Amino acid sequence: MKINEQVFESLVAEFQQRVDTALDYWLPATSVNPMRLHQAMRYAVLAPGKRVRPILVYATAKALGIELDKVDGAACAVEIIHAYSLIHDDLPAMDDDDLRRGRPTCHRKFDEATAILAGDALQALAFYIISHDPKMTQRERARLTMITNLAMFSGSRGMAGGQAIDLQSVGKSLNIAELETMHIHKTGALIRICIQLAALSADKLSDSDFTALDSYAKCIGLSFQVQDDILDVTGDTATLGKTQGSDSARNKPTFPSIIGLQASQEKALELHQQALQALSIFAEEADILRYISAWFIQRTH
Ligand code: GRG
């Protein structure tokens, strides 16, 4: 498919709608007991986020010619893991935030215990979907690899580990390599797994294609975070849907605080160029991924 700005935007909208429908299907209804827990789970997941991670799953599937039906489960699983991480990240014991996706955070809307449980239950639900979804017709071996990799990338050697490093780093001066290590785990790992889950859904994919996609994923995983740090300085609370300046207010190390705003913008551009380079073995079928990389460093929220 030939991609231009307009086609890209309509594909993004299509993917957002598609995953919202699938999420609605998998999330327990609010009429089912325990109702308050299910309300909290749906409140957090279905809140208006960008759905970046499902978009990456679908875009990679499109680039590889995989039917989108086959990756709905993976798209839901990564968004649900992401939603759980946001709920827990916002808790008083972590970032203690009042605003998320333009709404009160889950523990503010409900209560702390319900928010903790909603995060716990969402994490379990993500693995239930990947192990159970009948539309994921890939070989059982591939499904097992997906579960293994999602566990690795979201656990203590991935996202949760990155969060632990983040919490230890408040008020400390990190160098740029230490900051990158933190973000490669905290944000990058979940972005990387999105592309892996889609790639693992392909009937056949060469090792070199898988490695190229993984290299691309590593670059955009970091550029996404660099841009997030830039927006913490240059964005506004209404557009961001979360409190602007919260990182610097908490004395958290960020790319702009370590290397300055301009060098951070150059870093984001450099990562975008490396992402494009990683895709050079693909022809125009990977254009959608090229557009996503550009979007990551141009986004305003
Ligand atoms: C609590 C185990 C655990 C992990 C938390 C991802 C994370 C780790 C915390 C989120 C804190 C944060 C603001 C990180 C910066 C980058 C990031 C992941 C932003 C939020 O993701 P978006 O921009 O949000 O995709 P939406 O709301 O659009 O889905």
Side-chain angles (χ1 to χ4, degrees), residues 49-53 79 82 84-86 88-89 94-95 100-101 159-160 163 186-187 224-225 228 242 299:
K50 295 181 289 297
R51 310 288 186 255
V52 161
R53 294 151 192 83
E79 186 63 17
H82 171 57
Y84 122 69
S85 80
L86 296 181
H88 282 190
D89 182 65
M94 297 210 199
D95 273 3
R100 172 66 65 185
R101 294 174 160 174
M159 181 185 73
Q163 179 77 348
K186 187 177 118 173
T187 314
F224 185 84
Q225 183 61 55
D228 216 74
K242 59 179 184 181
R299 68 196 176 89

Side-chain angles (χ1 to χ4, degrees), residues 84-121:
Y84 122 69
S85 80
L86 296 181
I87 297 172
H88 282 190
D89 182 65
D90 290 334
L91 286 168
M94 297 210 199
D95 273 3
D96 195 11
D97 263 314
D98 296 334
L99 198 63
R100 172 66 65 185
R101 294 174 160 174
R103 297 177 179 183
T105 46
C106 193
H107 66 279
R108 288 262 171 237
K109 174 81 179 170
F110 294 87
D111 56 80
E112 225 178 295
T114 305
I116 293 170
L117 285 173
D120 294 341

Side-chain angles (χ1 to χ4, degrees), residues 23-32 38-39 41-42 122 125:
L23 288 166
D24 182 53
Y25 168 79
W26 283 108
L27 285 161
T30 53
S31 55
V32 171
H38 292 151
Q39 281 163 9
M41 289 163 73
R42 294 184 76 91
L122 286 171
L125 178 60

Side-chain angles (χ1 to χ4, degrees), residues 78 81-82 84-85 88 123 126-127 146-166 181-191 193:
V78 290
I81 293 272
H82 171 57
Y84 122 69
S85 80
H88 282 190
Q123 180 167 204
F127 286 95
M146 288 185 194
I147 295 168
T148 306
N149 291 9
L150 183 60
M152 279 288 294
F153 280 69
S154 59
S156 62
R157 280 171 282 177
M159 181 185 73
Q163 179 77 348
I165 302 173
D166 187 350
T181 300
M182 173 176 92
H183 289 312
I184 284 166
H185 291 82
K186 187 177 118 173
T187 314
L190 202 61
I191 288 184
I193 192 66

Side-chain angles (χ1 to χ4, degrees), residues 64 66 70 138-139 142 146 197-205:
L64 296 175
I66 301 166
K70 287 192 180 176
Q138 51 276 97
R139 301 165 314 284
M146 288 185 194
L197 292 182
L200 286 164
S201 305
D203 286 336
K204 209 165 169 233
L205 189 70

Side-chain angles (χ1 to χ4, degrees), residues 53-71:
R53 294 151 192 83
I55 289 168
L56 272 171
V57 173
Y58 288 129
T60 308
K62 265 246 187 278
L64 296 175
I66 301 166
E67 288 162 46
L68 298 190
D69 266 6
K70 287 192 180 176
V71 295

